[in-house]
Amino acid sequence: MVKRNTCVFISGKGSNLKNLIAHSRDNNFPIRISLIICNNKKAFGVVYAKKYKIPYVLINTKLKNYENKILLNLKKYKISFICLAGFMKIISNNLIKNYRGKIINIHPSLLPKFKGLNTFSRMLKKREKKAGCTVHYVNEKLDSGSVIVQKNFEIDNKDDENLLKNKTQKLEYRAFPEAIIKIFRNS
Ligand code: GRF
């Protein structure tokens, strides 16, 4: 199988990145993590780049030309697929144009419900019955591209924000690889 050179964008803990790295070691998994882009120099997730010797680039989104730095590196590492895994910055239209249909994101809610930030506190306030995660394509509108995989669970009375987050992340570790396999299944 020809593995697609993939870049994972992160900003924080990087547990989804770690999970994708583990899956990518399987010969039958359709992607290779060739590059990691991070916009937070304190992000814990960077340890996985070091541990697994994956090239990584820190970008400062306050600088005007940060976008160019991203595009140049994507070119340098011949990236053909992008996974956003907890990247806390909105991707520019220019990047989306360059990688149309090739950028996916994981979001901690059952989209189209609860787009944006603070999903768990909003769910609890609204007394939602179900929570979950969504892997979707990225387009110009926030958390609005078509859904690839969605997984849900019933919210328990005892669930607080932390418990919801833990339960959601467990599902994310299944949903993200499943979505990637689904995308490349017939190609
Ligand atoms: C995930 O829960 C994802 O849904 C959201 O950001 C979080 C990233 O977590 N977009 P991690 O950095 O992969 O641990």
Side-chain angles (χ1 to χ4, degrees):
M1 119 133 21
V2 183
K3 283 181 175 261
R4 280 80 180 170
N5 285 336
T6 298
C7 178
V8 181
F9 283 49
I10 61 164
S11 300
K13 190 169 72 157
S15 64
N16 279 285
L17 165 66
K18 182 185 176 203
N19 179 52
L20 289 181
I21 293 172
H23 280 271
S24 69
R25 298 174 125 198
D26 179 337
N27 283 339
N28 293 318
F29 196 64
I31 65 165
R32 168 191 307 118
I33 316 286
S34 311
L35 179 66
I36 292 160
I37 285 182
C38 178
N39 69 333
N40 169 13
K41 58 178 190 280
K42 291 189 182 141
F44 180 80
V46 171
V47 303
Y48 301 116
K50 294 177 183 160
K51 184 169 177 193
Y52 297 102
K53 300 191 169 42
I54 300 169
Y56 71 97
V57 176
L58 282 176
I59 50 156
N60 179 351
T61 52
K62 287 193 187 110
L63 297 179
K64 255 193 189 160
N65 66 343
Y66 84 90
E67 174 85 15
N68 275 346
K69 192 173 172 183
I70 294 180
L71 284 167
L72 282 174
N73 277 287
L74 294 176
K75 213 173 165 191
K76 179 173 167 193
Y77 290 95
K78 300 188 168 50
I79 299 301
S80 60
F81 189 63
I82 294 172
C83 295
L84 307 182
F87 188 61
M88 301 304 283
K89 173 89 191 164
I90 291 173
I91 292 287
S92 76
N93 287 352
N94 188 34
L95 184 56
I96 294 171
K97 211 174 72 198
N98 275 273
Y99 281 86
R100 175 134 346 254
K102 291 177 178 140
I103 310 177
I104 65 171
N105 178 47
I106 186 143
H107 183 78
S109 79
L110 297 170
L111 291 173
K113 284 185 166 180
F114 305 103
K115 297 174 183 176
L117 298 174
N118 307 317
T119 50
F120 305 120
S121 59
R122 288 190 282 143
M123 272 173 214
L124 290 172
K125 228 181 243 161
K126 283 216 158 186
R127 300 188 181 283
E128 287 293 302
K129 289 199 166 61
K130 281 184 174 181
C133 66
T134 306
V135 183
H136 64 94
Y137 285 104
V138 172
N139 65 13
E140 283 82 354
K141 280 193 187 157
L142 181 70
D143 299 328
S144 297
S146 56
V147 171
I148 307 156
V149 167
Q150 197 160 55
K151 292 197 181 291
N152 68 70
F153 62 92
E154 305 238 331
I155 298 178
D156 191 273
N157 284 339
K158 296 184 206 83
D159 283 343
D160 58 12
E161 280 184 48
N162 257 334
L163 284 167
L164 282 185
K165 186 177 176 184
N166 289 341
K167 290 180 182 179
T168 302
Q169 285 218 306
K170 276 204 182 117
L171 289 186
E172 289 183 351
Y173 304 148
R174 287 173 34 217
F176 222 163
E178 250 181 62
I180 293 167
I181 289 169
K182 191 172 170 189
I183 289 168
F184 295 110
R185 200 169 39 200
N186 298 318
S187 59

